[in-house]
């Protein structure tokens, strides 16, 4: 039969026919112009490859395959008390079939691959998921370089089935000798297939891997282990939520407890460890190093923390820039810098940070733009001329395939504008002078508060005017005409960023029009984007993994997805819950967080040298490890933990918070997954690593989000080390009420660590016992503010 020019199509055709025992793929030109596939009911002398053909067996009679199968009648869920052992987790409906396949031939056998392939017999799946998607026949949906939260899964109605590799069984030598891979076939024409096993891969495009069809001669024991997960009774399209939880508790939890040194720097191993040292380096050295100041056109002192990207990517000939976009948000970094200055009583730092807010507020809102504003600033080479650019030339419409629009940098980009406007509003956090330790007022002045609200309200009115009847906000608007660009006009996840800003503004001004627009936008996310998984934002198509806007993977029937929109959608749903007290939005938000979690790393690849636990990858057509967006994701987890007390979110938040420091000062690690080397990604600048990570940390230490160095929830009886320590046991006894905990830390502390005990009973005091020593009796208020306790060195 005629087939595409891909041997794997022939192999898959054989696996789908119960009569087929062997197959031969004939290359184009030997038996006609098309490739041919021959399915055979009898065996052939042996799998081989030559100039015309590739042949193989589905089963090889001389080889004995030994299987060990263990069925567990539950998946793991959070423990009732803190523990380093996942064996104490409570049962949840579902099944995990722990499976291994092993052969130990007494002779050398030639193999292309050694895989277990499962056919999904429940009908055409409603939901299909793999870590990566495909561009062409023969691509792989999940080679080991993409094992961040490794799973392939299918769901029909209420039943989900998936394969989760046993990453505990993987080591560097094992993967080097026997490269493992997940795969998924789901073209809609034949029953869908899930597979896992040993198969080589080759990088075919940026971060997409194809099958390696070369023959391997294996004479030693060949083995692989995986878990087959089956979860009946799941909500439609949402069986992934239980799998996401399972991945964390099966692999991530124990690794986090065992890694109190996760925040150590791998790049320069003699450098920083504890957060105070990272603070001093980030805010005291690095921020001052990249800060530059000048006067804005109105004479107000302005400044920025440069990234140097206008020179690097957009060619404006200057390093002195200020990026106010959804990647590099200078205003967010300035927020963290100001919070540090407030804590240190350092007025100079606070004034420098405020000058960055002044710069953001000086962006021109031309009346013809109806409140829209540019997102990139650069200071001319003369050191005086002030320049604004509407959108990036490198990660914007100028990268459109096959042909960018004319004047492609002269488009307003709401995803960038809304994230900037949201962070303008976040600066109002400082208007109530939250700090009680400062010797002077750190309030944002009433005049500056008014300026923030005037600017953001003007922009909010622009969004309301441009919002479509179905709730979506187009992704780009031509600057002169305000006509929306065709690109992502009818489907995008960027609308979530505007909804987040609008509901945040509503919480301050109580303008019901802005709330209605936010609800409409998030209803579109909930009803269209999430169920159809149309997670399209600019990075999906016009960043380093460039592709046409109409790209679709017909081999697994999945869309390209990026997680920036997922992060902001999760934020927006939670803000809507707070603004409306409608618990349905909290439920929506948790489903978004659980889906986002499938891009978090629950283990660290054994062939990569840093500890990459907790970091984030980006999209299903890219492969980097520990990308700087993990700082944004950390904020999501901590805020959802506060709303739900869900221990998984707390641990994931800590892991994400710490993960950037392993690879600092770089943007990420092993950009193509690792096959091209164990090394850092790009040096993108201050904001897309340390600035982002440190701002996330500052948010865990102020206001209503104080987590300290070690956090314990006394009501839920769980806890976690935040800063350079691990909680290894936790217990509560009565008469008198005593909270006992054991702490480990690999670091030498020069001062006590801060233990925060949340949700302690207000009716009685509690005695704290740390590492076997009573350190005092405290009220619930004292413990909520933090108690200094000795650390184990």
């Amino acid at each position: 039969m005629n087939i595409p020019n891909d041997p794997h199509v022939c192999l898959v055709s054989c696996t789908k026919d119960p009569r087929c025992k062997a197959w031969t793929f004939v290359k184009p030109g030997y038996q006609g112009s098309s490739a041919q596939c021959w399915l055979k009911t009898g065996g052939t002398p042996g799998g081989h490859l030559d100039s015309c053909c590739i042949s193989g067996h589905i089963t090889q009679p001389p080889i004995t395959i030994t299987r060990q199968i263990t069925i567990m009648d539950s998946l793991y869920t959070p423990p009732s008390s803190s523990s380093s052992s996942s064996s104490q987790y409570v049962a949840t409906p579902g099944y995990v079939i722990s499976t291994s396949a092993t052969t130990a031939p007494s002779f050398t056998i030639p193999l292309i691959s050694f895989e277990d392939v499962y056919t999904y017999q429940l009908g055409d799946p409603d939901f299909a998921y793999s870590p990566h998607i495909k561009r062409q026949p023969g691509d792989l949906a999940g080679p080991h370089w993409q094992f961040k939260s490794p799973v392939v899964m299918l769901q029909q109605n209420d039943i989900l089935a998936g394969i989760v590799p046993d990453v505990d069984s993987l080591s560097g030598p094992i993967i080097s000798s026997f490269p493992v891979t997940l795969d998924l076939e789901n073209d809609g024409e034949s029953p869908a297939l899930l597979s896992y096993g040993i198969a080589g891969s080759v990088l075919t495009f940026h971060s997409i891997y194809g099958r390696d069809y070369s023959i391997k001669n294996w004479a030693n024991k060949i083995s692989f282990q995986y878990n087959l997960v089956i979860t009946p009774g799941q909500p439609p399209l949402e069986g992934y939520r239980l799998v996401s939880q399972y991945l964390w508790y099966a692999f991530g939890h124990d690794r986090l407890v065992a890694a109190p040194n996760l925040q150590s720097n791998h790049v320069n191993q003699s450098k920083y460890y504890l957060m105070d040292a990272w603070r001093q380096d980030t805010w005291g050295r690095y921020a001052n190093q990249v800060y530059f100041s000048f006067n804005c056109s109105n004479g107000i002192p302005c400044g920025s923390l440069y990234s140097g990207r206008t020179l690097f990517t957009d060619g404006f000939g200057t390093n002195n820039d200020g990026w106010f976009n959804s990647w590099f948000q200078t205003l967010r970094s300035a927020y963290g810098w100001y919070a540090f200055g407030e804590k240190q009583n350092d007025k100079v730092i606070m004034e420098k940070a405020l000058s960055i807010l002044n710069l953001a507020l000086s962006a021109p809102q031309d009346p013809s733009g109806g409140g829209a504003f540019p997102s990139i600033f650069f200071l001319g080479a003369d050191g005086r001329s002030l320049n604004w650019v509407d959108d990036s030339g490198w990660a914007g419409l100028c990268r459109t395939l096959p042909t960018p629009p004319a004047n492609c940098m002269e488009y307003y980009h709401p995803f960038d504008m809304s994230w900037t406007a949201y962070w303008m509003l976040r600066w109002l956090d400082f208007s109530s002078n939250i700090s009680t330790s400062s010797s002077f007022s750190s309030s944002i002045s009433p005049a500056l508060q008014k300026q923030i609200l005037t600017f953001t309200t003007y922009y909010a009115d622009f969004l309301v005017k441009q919002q479509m009847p179905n709730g979506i906000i187009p992704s780009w608007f031509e600057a002169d005409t305000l006509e929306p660009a065709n690109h992502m006009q009818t489907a995008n996840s960027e609308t979530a960023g505007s909804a987040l800003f609008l509901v945040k503004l509503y919480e301050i001004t109580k303008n019901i029009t802005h709330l209605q627009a936010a609800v409409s936008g998030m209803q579109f996310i909930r009803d269209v984007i999430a169920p159809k998984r149309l997670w399209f934002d600019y990075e999906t198509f016009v960043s380093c993994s460039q592709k046409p806007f109409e790209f679709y993977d017909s081999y697994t029937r999945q869309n390209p997805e990026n997680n920036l929109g997922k992060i902001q959608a999760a934020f927006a749903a939670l803000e809507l819950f707070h603004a409306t007290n409608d618990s349905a939005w909290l439920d929506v938000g948790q489903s978004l967080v659980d889906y986002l979690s499938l891009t978090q790393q629950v283990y660290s690849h054994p062939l990569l040298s840093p500890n990459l636990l907790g970091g984030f990858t980006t999209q299903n057509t890219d492969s980097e490890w520990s990308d700087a967006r993990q700082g944004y994701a950390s904020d999501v987890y901590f805020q959802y933990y506060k709303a739900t007390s869900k221990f998984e979110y707390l641990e994931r938040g800590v892991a994400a918070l710490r993960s950037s420091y392993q690879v600092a000062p770089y943007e990420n690690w092993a950009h193509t997954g690792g096959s091209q080397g164990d090394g850092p990604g790009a040096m993108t600048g201050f904001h897309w690593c340390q600035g982002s990570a440190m701002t996330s940390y500052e948010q865990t230490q102020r206001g209503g989000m104080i987590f300290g160095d070690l956090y314990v929830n006394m009501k839920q009886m769980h806890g976690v080390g935040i800063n350079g320590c691990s909680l290894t046991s936790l217990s509560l006894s009565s008469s008198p009420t005593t909270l006992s905990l054991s702490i480990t830390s690999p670091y030498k502390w020069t001062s006590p660590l801060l233990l925060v005990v949340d949700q302690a009973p207000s009716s009685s005091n509690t005695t704290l016992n740390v590492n076997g020593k009573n350190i005092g009796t405290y009220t619930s208020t004292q413990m909520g503010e933090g108690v200094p306790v000795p650390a184990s060195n």
Side-chain angles (χ1 to χ4, degrees), residues 492-533:
N492 69 64
S493 62
E494 297 186 350
T495 295
S498 294
L500 169 63
F501 156 67
L502 287 165
V503 68
K504 187 69 176 177
L505 182 61
Y506 163 78
E507 290 178 290
I508 299 167
T509 66
K510 303 305 179 185
N511 184 325
I512 193 66
T513 301
H514 297 153
L515 176 62
Q516 291 169 340
V519 169
S520 180
M522 281 304 294
Q523 286 173 339
F524 180 80
I525 297 294
R526 179 196 65 194
D527 299 339
V528 178
I529 299 300
K532 295 182 179 180
R533 294 158 63 211

Side-chain angles (χ1 to χ4, degrees), residues 392-616:
S392 171
W394 186 82
L397 287 178
C398 290
R399 297 261 295 169
T400 300
L401 291 177
T403 305
N407 304 318
C408 54
M409 294 178 69
E410 297 176 10
Y411 281 80
Y412 292 122
H413 191 189
F415 201 39
D416 294 338
M417 294 187 290
S418 293
W419 191 230
T420 301
Y422 169 79
W423 277 99
M424 288 179 178
L425 297 176
R426 287 295 307 273
W427 272 79
L428 296 176
D429 294 350
F430 299 112
S431 64
S432 58
N433 193 19
I434 292 172
S435 171
T436 58
S437 61
S438 178
S439 61
F440 57 90
S441 174
S442 62
S443 301
I444 302 298
S445 70
L448 191 53
Q449 294 177 48
K450 182 178 179 180
Q451 188 179 359
I452 290 171
L453 291 177
T454 299
F455 188 103
T456 54
T457 299
Y458 194 23
Y459 170 61
D461 292 342
F462 163 80
L463 292 177
V464 171
K465 182 178 180 180
Q466 298 296 340
Q467 189 171 34
M468 301 291 192
N470 63 358
I472 193 173
I473 295 174
S475 287
W476 284 278
F477 292 90
E478 204 278 326
D480 289 335
T481 65
L482 293 188
E483 288 295 316
N486 293 327
H487 314 83
M488 299 198 300
Q489 182 183 149
T490 58
N492 69 64
S493 62
E494 297 186 350
T495 295
S498 294
L500 169 63
F501 156 67
L502 287 165
V503 68
K504 187 69 176 177
L505 182 61
Y506 163 78
E507 290 178 290
I508 299 167
T509 66
K510 303 305 179 185
N511 184 325
I512 193 66
T513 301
H514 297 153
L515 176 62
Q516 291 169 340
V519 169
S520 180
M522 281 304 294
Q523 286 173 339
F524 180 80
I525 297 294
R526 179 196 65 194
D527 299 339
V528 178
I529 299 300
K532 295 182 179 180
R533 294 158 63 211
L534 303 173
W535 293 105
F536 304 157
D537 58 54
Y538 71 97
E539 188 178 14
T540 319
F541 301 102
V542 297
S543 66
C544 51
S545 184
Q546 194 179 12
K547 62 188 77 69
F549 281 93
E550 62 273 12
F551 178 84
Y552 177 73
D553 171 12
S554 60
Y555 308 103
T556 67
R557 288 193 291 171
Q558 294 182 86
N559 293 294
E561 299 182 27
N562 191 54
N563 58 15
L564 280 179
K566 299 173 190 178
I567 290 171
Q568 297 201 18
F571 275 133
L574 186 60
E575 286 292 343
L576 278 174
F577 165 65
H578 291 318
T580 65
N581 202 31
D582 182 350
S583 62
W585 284 115
L586 182 60
D587 295 338
V588 169
Q590 289 184 83
S591 70
L592 295 171
V593 174
D594 294 341
Y595 193 61
L596 169 67
S597 295
L598 292 173
T599 58
Q600 187 179 27
Q601 294 144 206
V602 299
Y603 97 126
S604 188
H605 197 291
L607 292 178
L608 300 177
S609 52
N611 186 346
L612 300 168
L613 174 69
F616 268 73

Side-chain angles (χ1 to χ4, degrees), residues 157-203:
N157 294 326
D158 69 332
I159 300 177
L160 180 141
I163 297 176
V164 176
D166 178 10
V167 296
D168 289 337
S169 68
L170 300 178
S171 65
I174 288 176
I175 290 182
S176 296
S177 299
F178 305 111
V180 288
T181 188
L182 289 161
D183 206 3
L184 172 67
E185 299 283 347
N186 179 40
D187 60 12
E189 298 179 2
S190 304
L193 301 178
L194 301 164
S195 65
Y196 180 68
I198 299 169
S201 62
V202 292
L203 190 65

